[in-house]
Amino acid sequence: MVLAAGLGQRMRPITDTLPKPLVRIGGKAMLDHMLDRLAEAGVEEAVVNVHHLAGQVETHLVDRTRPRITISDERAELLETGGGVRKALPLLGAAPFFHVNSDALWRETGRPAMKAMATAWDPARMDMLLLLADRETSLGFDGAGDFVLADDDRLSRRGSAASAPYVYAGVAILKPELFADTPEGPFSLNLLFDRAIARGRLFGERLEGRWLHVGTPEAIAPAEAVFAAAQPVDA
């Protein structure tokens, strides 16, 4: 499931005329970076939701074959990170699936992140597995962090702490049955994060690389520089 329906409000004025997933970084659209990573991880089919400037996204994807694309149309109502999945469940099937933000972007310095997640996925222990980025080395991110990672790779929220070492990097593996008792209409995936934490079944996989938070027009040039750099990103 690839989330490409958002308004991209912080990226205005670019997103007044161009959907954020089609903003180009390192020579190609952010959406294509994500779809290429899915293809490299062996994903054969992807459901892409659309809302804002939906026609541009659909046109951009029309010739895509790896992975094969099915559109989930949210023109009538923007359903957020959880509601969009619930609407698309008939297209996703019964098996666990990747849930990814179309603008999730990183440069790897070690093992491929999505293959590592697929290898680490253990449905007997896990309801959800999240890709985590190091807060301190992430480019363009100035937040306090999201999660604390235990020795057994279980996750807990930052809570009242001043900071947490890891940021959710916009990639998850999850089970479709988690949506069985979710609300109708828009809701955030955070609802399912918290339910999984309460059951001790939310886990994390650390990114070996540098996460690029491209949230504003000003963040584009630094992200471009990371992709253009010949040396490792932590040099």
Side-chain angles (χ1 to χ4, degrees):
M1 179 77 197
V2 182
L3 304 182
L7 301 176
Q9 295 186 43
R10 295 180 63 228
M11 190 64 80
R12 288 177 173 166
I14 294 172
T15 49
D16 289 339
T17 57
L18 183 72
K20 185 181 178 184
L22 300 189
V23 172
R24 296 175 70 85
I25 304 289
K28 63 182 174 182
M30 288 193 282
L31 176 57
D32 288 326
H33 281 286
M34 177 51 69
L35 290 170
D36 288 347
R37 291 200 186 280
L38 287 169
E40 289 163 5
V43 174
E44 298 179 353
E45 299 183 28
V47 176
V48 180
N49 69 349
V50 296
H51 173 82
H52 178 57
L53 301 174
Q56 289 189 44
V57 178
E58 289 176 316
T59 298
H60 183 84
L61 294 173
V62 69
D63 294 323
R64 184 97 195 190
T65 58
R66 294 189 63 248
R68 296 185 297 275
I69 303 297
T70 301
I71 297 295
S72 180
D73 194 332
E74 293 181 23
R75 284 176 173 88
E77 183 181 21
L78 185 59
L79 294 171
E80 300 184 30
T81 54
V85 178
R86 177 174 170 138
K87 181 180 189 298
L89 284 176
L91 304 173
L92 290 165
F97 57 89
F98 278 106
H99 174 287
V100 302
N101 296 339
S102 60
D103 59 354
L105 195 66
W106 62 88
R107 183 169 172 190
E108 291 171 349
T109 57
R111 57 187 178 175
M114 301 184 84
K115 288 183 180 179
M117 291 184 71
T119 299
W121 172 250
D122 180 0
R125 291 195 305 150
M126 303 172 181
D127 285 342
M128 304 178 71
L129 176 65
L130 309 185
L131 183 64
L132 304 176
D134 182 84
R135 177 180 61 84
E136 292 188 351
T137 63
S138 294
L139 181 74
F141 181 79
D142 58 3
D146 301 316
F147 293 106
V148 176
L149 186 68
D151 291 342
D152 63 358
D153 294 330
R154 281 184 171 86
L155 292 179
S156 57
R157 293 277 194 184
R158 170 171 54 88
S160 60
S163 64
Y166 295 106
V167 180
Y168 173 53
V171 179
I173 298 176
L174 51 95
K175 298 174 178 178
E177 55 262 36
L178 298 175
F179 293 86
D181 59 348
T182 50
E184 295 282 354
F187 70 92
S188 170
L189 199 66
N190 277 290
L191 172 67
L192 299 186
F193 290 174
D194 290 335
R195 289 180 178 180
I197 288 172
R199 292 190 291 263
R201 296 179 62 84
L202 184 70
F203 285 75
E205 177 73 22
R206 286 169 286 189
L207 169 68
E208 293 186 4
R210 190 176 190 185
W211 187 57
L212 312 177
H213 184 241
V214 186
T216 65
E218 293 74 24
I220 293 174
E224 289 272 14
V226 168
F227 275 96
Q231 69 273 20
V233 299
D234 56 350

